[in-house]
Amino acid sequence: MSELKLMKGNEAVAEAAIRAGADAYFGYPITPQSEVLEYLMSEQPEKRTGMIVLQAESEVAAINMVYGAAGTGKRVMTSSSSPGISLKQEGISYIAGAELPCLIVNVVRGGPGLGTIQPSQADYFQSTKGGGHGDYRLIVLAPASVQEMSDFVKLGFELAFKYRNPVLMLSDGVIGQMMEKVELFDQQPRLDYFDPAWTTTGKTDDRGRNIITSLDLDPYLMEKHNQMLQAKYRKIEELEVRVEEIMIEDAEYIFVAYGSSARISQKAVELARAKGIKAGLLRPKTLFPFPKRIISELADRVKGFLSVEMSAGQMVEDVRLAVNGKVWVEHFGRYGGVVHSPNEVLDALENLIEKK
Amino acid sequence: MDIKDIIKPENKVYSKTSLMTDNALSYCPGCGHGTAHRIVMEVIEEMGIAHDTIGVAPVGCSVLAYDFMDIDMTQAAHGRAPAVATGIKRLWPDKFVFTYQGDGDLAAIGTAETIHACNRGENIVIIFVNNGIYGMTGGQMAPTTLGGMKSSTSPFGRDIGTMGNPIKMTELVANLPGVYFASRQAVHKPSNVRKAKKAIRQAFENQKEKKGLSIVEIVSNCNSGWKMAPVQSNIWMEENMFPYYPLGDIKVDDVILGK
Ligand SMILES: Cc1ncc(C[n+]2csc(CCOP(=O)(O)OP(=O)(O)O)c2C)c(N)n1
Ligand code: SF4
């Protein structure tokens, strides 16, 4: 039976990991996401499902533990916040190159550098454009509620295994720390099938050895491998776009926002409507794949887009690419750990309408 | 003896382990890596555990170890092999997991992963090939490069005052309670190969008995990086490397020898 609970976003991630039948979690503490590891340690999932939880010596070690375990076909994950995610980038690049499934959660805080422990959305570029070295993409899910912190763990593992690709859940300090009602999904079994085509579980008589690697010294073979990766990413772009549309049918102005900025922008839509401004919200739930086509089609009938992000303006570049000059596209956002208010968002829209 | 007699089965004195592939080794002629690979694979074959073993290859000259070792393998990022092995072993506690790493990989960039895997007592085997230099990238100074030893990044010899001391990693980790067995061997002579193989066998037996971490260091040559002919490099190794990195067991059955 599904179960209703009042939980923090970070706790919901941890509980959902156990329920999704995860085999292991490897992590290292960092604010504002330490509750994931703390919850898992106190919940003792080894007794509940057999799931392994290990506090690693660093984020570097944690992501490499994920790499090793993922190569054996297990359902494994890690979580961290911005500086820790930066440390994981080498490992993530290897995982993407070797085409392994796993889930990585980033509860974003303000940067650059050690920055602040307050919420931010300034890791958009890092998350959606690769992050580490080489030409690769992660599937990026953007939860906007504690409910989605739970649901996207399950979805994340499904997509990771469907495409043998790392999935990044791009959350932020607001969603991670706030408490909301969450409907937890039922316990799922842990995996007992390990695809003999690629997993390193020890070679058997009916299959040769398997090798997990991202290396090919022959540039022509490496180019082929890259082309295969790119074809996979195009397929993901074609099939996996997910959005939520709020009051968009008759909208003249569209807020594009994800995560906690989407929650704030939803309130700004209400405030705008009360003043007679026809505003709507497009909330990407997937940042890669990005809803390019949806935005491009909207651009044929609306007057302008405001990308609302807790950053100096990162996603706005993707909105602009999708709109391709048809109408205006601007950015609004407080950043460095400051969260904008719905009124600030509305003011930004009103100023733009006046100016344009 | 006629060639026909020589190749008769009853006259066979040696055959390559079936766990080494027929791929041409990518190592320089005279390099110790090939022999080290072979004895690891012989141990796995003799213990009958090939179907239950997962190896982790490093970044270094042995990055392509998986081309030669005919078992399931994962190639790890530079220095991260002990963490990768941890991830595998924690989820497959009944499989055999080992890493094969050079000194740059294990004792420089991967120091944290090495120490913490050892400290947690991960039930794995670490094969540590110490050739005192970065072979793969063309002979730069390693953490294990001897004082005064020349390399492409210490062209006037390693200056201990500014470049630090050569690190004795196996002694260092032997002090950690998670390490059950630590031994230092060589593979440049048949007698050494036999001893090294015995130590590797012991390491895998320990894993079978779930005793904790076993590390076998193999002091080896890098004739290319040292810019010496193979035979000369082995003599140089005996005269210079062995005094600083003395061969023999360091910790056996959880007890540090000579303490
Ligand atoms: C992150 C990273 N830094 C540097 C390198 C370049 N690199 C490749 S192998 C190597 C040194 C390997 O030396 P060692 O571990 O001693 O092995 P050997 O080649 O001597 O067997 C270095 C620095 C790399 N591949 N990745
Ligand atoms: S460079 Fe050195 S370590 Fe590498 S294969 Fe050649 S001799 Fe061996």
Side-chain angles (χ1 to χ4, degrees):
Chain A
M1 280 298 289
S2 60
E3 199 181 326
L4 267 185
K5 267 198 167 173
L6 183 67
M7 293 184 112
K8 271 191 177 191
N10 289 334
E11 293 168 348
V13 165
E15 178 60 30
I18 304 172
R19 289 182 184 235
D23 294 297
Y25 170 94
F26 302 101
Y28 186 82
I30 183 171
T31 308
Q33 68 77 55
S34 296
E35 292 86 357
V36 180
L37 178 58
E38 288 167 353
Y39 183 95
L40 285 170
M41 283 298 187
S42 60
E43 204 47 38
Q44 296 182 291
E46 193 155 12
K47 290 186 186 157
R48 271 174 65 180
T49 65
M51 175 185 178
I52 302 290
V53 185
L54 183 62
Q55 178 169 337
E57 63 270 29
S58 68
E59 290 86 350
V60 176
I63 193 70
N64 282 284
M65 290 170 185
V66 166
Y67 173 76
T72 68
K74 295 274 186 179
R75 210 182 264 153
V76 287
M77 67 177 290
T78 184
S79 68
S80 189
S81 179
S82 310
I85 296 288
S86 292
L87 271 180
K88 289 184 195 291
Q89 291 303 332
E90 180 200 36
I92 295 173
S93 171
Y94 272 67
I95 292 170
E99 291 194 272
L100 301 181
C102 72
L103 178 66
I104 303 145
V105 180
N106 184 1
V107 183
V108 181
R109 60 190 248 180
L114 194 52
T116 165
I117 58 172
Q118 301 303 326
S120 163
Q121 294 182 311
D123 294 356
Y124 177 90
F125 283 151
Q126 184 199 52
S127 312
T128 60
K129 309 296 176 193
H133 58 286
D135 257 335
Y136 72 90
R137 297 301 177 114
L138 308 175
I139 297 172
V140 184
L141 304 176
S145 60
V146 174
Q147 184 64 52
E148 284 183 344
M149 287 290 265
S150 163
D151 295 347
F152 286 4
V153 168
K154 191 164 152 222
L155 174 65
F157 278 127
E158 281 162 16
L159 292 172
F161 275 81
K162 182 172 174 189
Y163 294 101
R164 270 182 65 190
N165 205 70
V167 170
L168 179 82
M169 201 157 112
L170 188 66
S171 182
D172 60 62
V174 177
I175 309 284
Q177 290 296 327
M178 73 183 179
M179 289 188 94
E180 278 184 325
K181 185 180 68 178
V182 52
E183 189 178 338
L184 296 164
F185 53 85
D186 293 342
Q187 179 65 51
Q188 298 194 321
R190 286 177 51 225
L191 296 170
D192 56 7
Y193 171 78
F194 306 98
D195 190 346
W198 61 272
T199 59
T200 49
T201 56
K203 69 172 186 176
T204 56
D205 289 332
D206 44 5
R207 73 154 169 89
R209 69 214 168 97
N210 284 332
I211 296 163
I212 302 291
T213 183
S214 56
L215 172 76
D216 208 318
L217 293 173
D218 179 339
Y220 296 99
L221 291 177
M222 200 61 217
E223 185 184 41
K224 262 214 171 88
H225 176 64
N226 267 280
Q227 287 165 346
M228 211 187 63
L229 290 177
Q230 292 302 320
K232 176 168 82 172
Y233 303 147
R234 297 296 86 78
K235 192 171 158 199
I236 292 169
E237 287 194 298
E238 198 182 308
L239 299 176
E240 304 298 347
V241 171
R242 286 165 170 80
V243 297
E244 185 187 7
E245 297 174 347
I246 290 169
M247 307 203 74
I248 230 165
E249 302 73 28
D250 63 338
E252 293 180 339
Y253 304 100
I254 305 282
F255 295 119
V256 185
Y258 67 94
S260 49
S261 276
R263 297 284 289 265
I264 295 159
S265 301
Q266 188 174 344
K267 184 73 192 167
V269 168
E270 284 171 29
L271 296 174
R273 292 273 171 173
K275 283 185 147 183
I277 302 167
K278 287 187 174 171
L281 168 66
L282 180 74
R283 173 169 82 88
K285 296 188 201 176
T286 53
L287 296 173
F288 184 88
F290 191 70
K292 295 183 208 171
R293 198 179 309 150
I294 296 172
I295 290 174
S296 169
E297 283 167 11
L298 273 175
D300 292 331
R301 62 174 173 86
V302 304
K303 292 182 177 164
F305 289 86
L306 183 58
S307 181
V308 184
E309 314 162 54
M310 294 189 293
S311 74
Q314 299 190 8
M315 182 176 69
V316 64
E317 295 190 4
D318 286 333
V319 180
R320 273 201 191 112
L321 279 172
V323 170
N324 203 12
K326 288 187 222 169
V327 291
W328 59 261
V329 178
E330 297 296 340
H331 161 263
F332 173 75
R334 303 291 301 270
Y335 44 96
V338 180
V339 180
H340 29 244
S341 71
N343 278 316
E344 285 177 308
V345 174
L346 177 62
D347 285 351
L349 178 65
E350 285 183 318
N351 286 338
L352 281 164
I353 294 173
E354 205 172 299
K355 259 197 272 168
K356 296 275 174 181
Chain B
M1 227 190 311
D2 182 50
I3 180 83
K4 284 190 188 113
D5 291 319
I6 292 173
I7 62 169
K8 274 184 186 162
E10 62 266 31
N11 288 329
K12 183 159 132 184
V13 288
Y14 171 79
S15 61
K16 178 172 77 80
T17 160
S18 66
L19 292 182
M20 284 293 282
T21 65
D22 289 332
N23 295 331
L25 286 174
S26 51
Y27 303 109
C28 306
C31 172
H33 269 306
T35 311
H37 280 25
R38 171 172 67 79
I39 56 177
V40 174
M41 289 300 107
E42 282 177 0
V43 165
I44 290 170
E45 182 178 44
E46 286 159 20
M47 287 177 71
I49 57 172
H51 290 354
D52 292 312
T53 302
I54 301 142
V56 182
V59 171
C61 278
S62 47
V63 64
L64 287 173
Y66 57 73
D67 269 358
F68 316 122
M69 299 178 172
D70 194 9
I71 53 168
D72 272 6
M73 290 198 73
T74 296
Q75 196 283 312
H78 198 16
R80 315 300 172 215
V84 173
T86 299
I88 300 171
K89 185 71 182 184
R90 288 289 178 125
L91 290 169
W92 299 89
D94 296 327
K95 304 272 179 189
F96 291 83
V97 180
F98 74 92
T99 71
Y100 184 103
Q101 301 175 256
D103 44 288
D105 195 81
L106 179 140
I109 194 166
T111 309
E113 284 76 10
T114 304
I115 287 184
H116 287 279
C118 288
N119 194 48
R120 286 190 302 265
E122 296 295 339
N123 189 30
I124 59 173
V125 170
I126 294 179
I127 307 292
F128 165 33
V129 178
N130 174 8
N131 57 17
I133 206 156
Y134 286 6
M136 183 176 210
T137 37
Q140 295 84 5
M141 183 176 67
T144 46
T145 299
L146 298 176
M149 184 174 165
K150 285 182 181 168
S151 74
S152 68
T153 52
S154 56
F156 307 106
R158 181 178 190 154
D159 171 29
I160 300 293
T162 57
M163 298 168 175
N165 295 280
I167 190 166
K168 297 184 182 184
M169 200 65 175
T170 306
E171 279 89 344
L172 197 148
V173 298
N175 282 296
L176 299 171
V179 173
Y180 184 78
F181 176 70
S183 183
R184 183 184 285 119
Q185 303 292 338
V187 292
H188 66 309
K189 284 182 176 170
S191 57
N192 291 99
V193 171
R194 277 194 294 276
K195 283 186 205 153
K197 187 172 161 184
K198 209 175 134 217
I200 293 170
R201 172 79 186 230
Q202 186 58 55
F204 277 90
E205 293 289 351
N206 293 341
Q207 184 170 167
K208 192 173 178 179
E209 303 297 324
K210 301 195 188 313
K211 296 286 191 191
L213 194 138
S214 296
I215 179 167
V216 179
E217 173 177 340
I218 295 172
V219 180
S220 190
N221 62 342
C222 173
N223 38 287
S224 290
W226 297 355
K227 312 222 178 307
M228 295 174 194
V231 173
Q232 185 199 358
S233 75
N234 283 334
I235 295 167
W236 190 89
M237 176 170 72
E238 287 183 337
E239 288 174 354
N240 298 277
M241 295 282 279
F242 292 174
Y244 193 82
Y245 300 112
L247 304 187
D249 291 338
I250 295 165
K251 189 177 191 180
V252 177
D253 291 343
D254 218 7
V255 177
I256 297 179
L257 302 185
K259 262 205 176 174

